[in-house]
Amino acid sequence: MGGFLGLHQRWDQIQATLIGGWIQGQPGSALSNAATANGVYTAGFGLTYLAARGRYSVAYEARGTQYAGVPAPREVSLGIFRMVTDRLAIRGSFIAGLNDGGPRTSVGVGIVYWPK
Protein backbone atom coordinates (compact mmCIF):
# COMPACT_ATOMS: atom_id res chain seq x y z
CA MET A 1 0.00 0.00 0.00
CA GLY A 2 1.25 3.48 -0.70
CA GLY A 3 0.56 6.90 -2.07
CA PHE A 4 2.23 9.45 -4.30
CA LEU A 5 1.83 13.15 -4.94
CA GLY A 6 2.98 14.90 -8.10
CA LEU A 7 3.11 18.68 -8.42
CA HIS A 8 3.52 20.26 -11.84
CA GLN A 9 4.17 23.87 -12.79
CA ARG A 10 4.32 25.01 -16.40
CA TRP A 11 5.82 28.16 -17.84
CA ASP A 12 5.24 28.36 -21.59
CA GLN A 13 7.35 25.45 -22.94
CA ILE A 14 9.01 24.43 -19.66
CA GLN A 15 7.37 22.16 -17.09
CA ALA A 16 8.77 21.45 -13.63
CA THR A 17 7.63 18.34 -11.76
CA LEU A 18 8.11 17.49 -8.09
CA ILE A 19 7.10 14.01 -6.89
CA GLY A 20 7.05 12.32 -3.55
CA GLY A 21 5.60 9.12 -2.26
CA TRP A 22 5.60 6.35 0.29
CA ILE A 23 5.15 2.59 -0.06
CA GLN A 24 4.31 0.80 3.16
CA GLY A 25 5.25 -2.88 3.35
CA GLN A 26 3.24 -5.41 5.30
CA PRO A 27 5.25 -6.91 8.17
CA GLY A 28 5.38 -10.69 7.87
CA SER A 29 4.32 -10.67 4.21
CA ALA A 30 6.14 -12.98 1.81
CA LEU A 31 6.93 -9.93 -0.35
CA SER A 32 8.21 -7.80 2.52
CA ASN A 33 11.67 -7.74 4.07
CA ALA A 34 13.15 -5.92 7.04
CA ALA A 35 13.84 -2.75 5.04
CA THR A 36 10.47 -2.47 3.28
CA ALA A 37 8.39 -3.43 6.35
CA ASN A 38 9.09 0.08 7.70
CA GLY A 39 8.20 1.71 4.37
CA VAL A 40 10.13 3.06 1.42
CA TYR A 41 10.05 6.66 0.20
CA THR A 42 10.57 8.01 -3.29
CA ALA A 43 11.22 11.64 -4.21
CA GLY A 44 12.25 13.38 -7.38
CA PHE A 45 12.45 16.52 -9.45
CA GLY A 46 12.30 16.91 -13.21
CA LEU A 47 12.31 19.50 -15.96
CA THR A 48 10.67 18.98 -19.34
CA TYR A 49 10.95 21.09 -22.48
CA LEU A 50 7.75 20.85 -24.53
CA ALA A 51 8.48 21.42 -28.22
CA ALA A 52 6.01 21.51 -31.12
CA ARG A 53 6.56 17.83 -32.03
CA GLY A 54 8.17 16.36 -28.95
CA ARG A 55 9.28 16.64 -25.38
CA TYR A 56 12.73 16.40 -23.80
CA SER A 57 13.27 15.82 -20.10
CA VAL A 58 15.88 15.52 -17.38
CA ALA A 59 15.12 14.25 -13.87
CA TYR A 60 16.65 13.21 -10.55
CA GLU A 61 15.10 10.53 -8.32
CA ALA A 62 15.95 9.21 -4.86
CA ARG A 63 14.36 6.17 -3.21
CA GLY A 64 14.65 4.54 0.17
CA THR A 65 16.59 1.33 0.51
CA GLN A 66 14.73 -1.82 -0.42
CA TYR A 67 17.17 -4.30 1.13
CA ALA A 68 19.20 -4.12 4.32
CA GLY A 69 22.85 -3.30 3.64
CA VAL A 70 22.19 -1.89 0.14
CA PRO A 71 22.44 1.90 -0.37
CA ALA A 72 19.28 3.80 -1.24
CA PRO A 73 19.19 4.31 -5.05
CA ARG A 74 19.92 7.73 -6.58
CA GLU A 75 19.44 8.17 -10.33
CA VAL A 76 19.44 10.80 -13.03
CA SER A 77 17.50 10.28 -16.26
CA LEU A 78 17.17 11.82 -19.70
CA GLY A 79 14.15 11.25 -21.91
CA ILE A 80 12.99 12.08 -25.41
CA PHE A 81 9.67 11.65 -27.18
CA ARG A 82 9.60 12.97 -30.75
CA MET A 83 6.84 12.77 -33.35
CA VAL A 84 8.27 11.77 -36.74
CA THR A 85 4.93 11.77 -38.59
CA ASP A 86 1.32 12.16 -37.44
CA ARG A 87 1.25 8.44 -36.54
CA LEU A 88 4.86 7.58 -35.81
CA ALA A 89 7.06 8.64 -32.89
CA ILE A 90 10.39 7.67 -31.42
CA ARG A 91 10.99 7.37 -27.73
CA GLY A 92 14.26 7.07 -25.87
CA SER A 93 15.51 7.05 -22.32
CA PHE A 94 18.82 6.95 -20.52
CA ILE A 95 19.13 6.37 -16.77
CA ALA A 96 22.40 6.60 -14.86
CA GLY A 97 22.77 5.31 -11.32
CA LEU A 98 24.65 7.72 -9.09
CA ASN A 99 25.54 5.16 -6.41
CA ASP A 100 25.63 1.40 -5.78
CA GLY A 101 21.94 1.24 -4.80
CA GLY A 102 20.66 0.55 -8.30
CA PRO A 103 21.76 -0.31 -11.82
CA ARG A 104 24.68 1.67 -13.26
CA THR A 105 22.96 2.48 -16.56
CA SER A 106 19.81 1.74 -18.49
CA VAL A 107 19.04 2.63 -22.10
CA GLY A 108 15.68 2.34 -23.80
CA VAL A 109 14.63 3.00 -27.39
CA GLY A 110 11.18 2.52 -28.83
CA ILE A 111 8.93 3.24 -31.76
CA VAL A 112 5.33 4.27 -31.17
CA TYR A 113 2.77 3.80 -33.94
CA TRP A 114 -0.91 4.75 -33.90
CA PRO A 115 -2.91 2.79 -36.54
CA LYS A 116 -5.96 4.28 -38.28
Side-chain angles (χ1 to χ4, degrees), residues 11-106:
W11 303 275
D12 194 25
Q13 292 179 286
I14 302 292
Q15 178 175 303
T17 302
L18 181 64
I19 63 163
W22 188 265
I23 299 171
Q24 183 62 52
Q26 299 295 321
S29 166
L31 299 176
S32 184
N33 60 49
T36 60
N38 294 325
V40 177
Y41 72 88
T42 185
F45 176 79
L47 290 173
T48 301
Y49 175 72
L50 304 158
R53 296 189 58 84
R55 64 179 184 257
Y56 310 91
S57 61
V58 61
Y60 170 80
E61 184 176 357
R63 293 185 302 280
T65 187
Q66 295 178 344
Y67 302 100
V70 176
R74 304 291 186 258
E75 300 170 345
V76 64
S77 63
L78 303 171
I80 180 174
F81 182 89
R82 175 85 176 148
M83 296 298 299
V84 179
T85 70
D86 289 341
R87 292 200 179 126
L88 184 66
I90 58 170
R91 181 180 182 136
S93 65
F94 174 77
I95 300 171
L98 301 177
N99 66 1
D100 291 334
R104 286 285 181 214
T105 58
S106 173

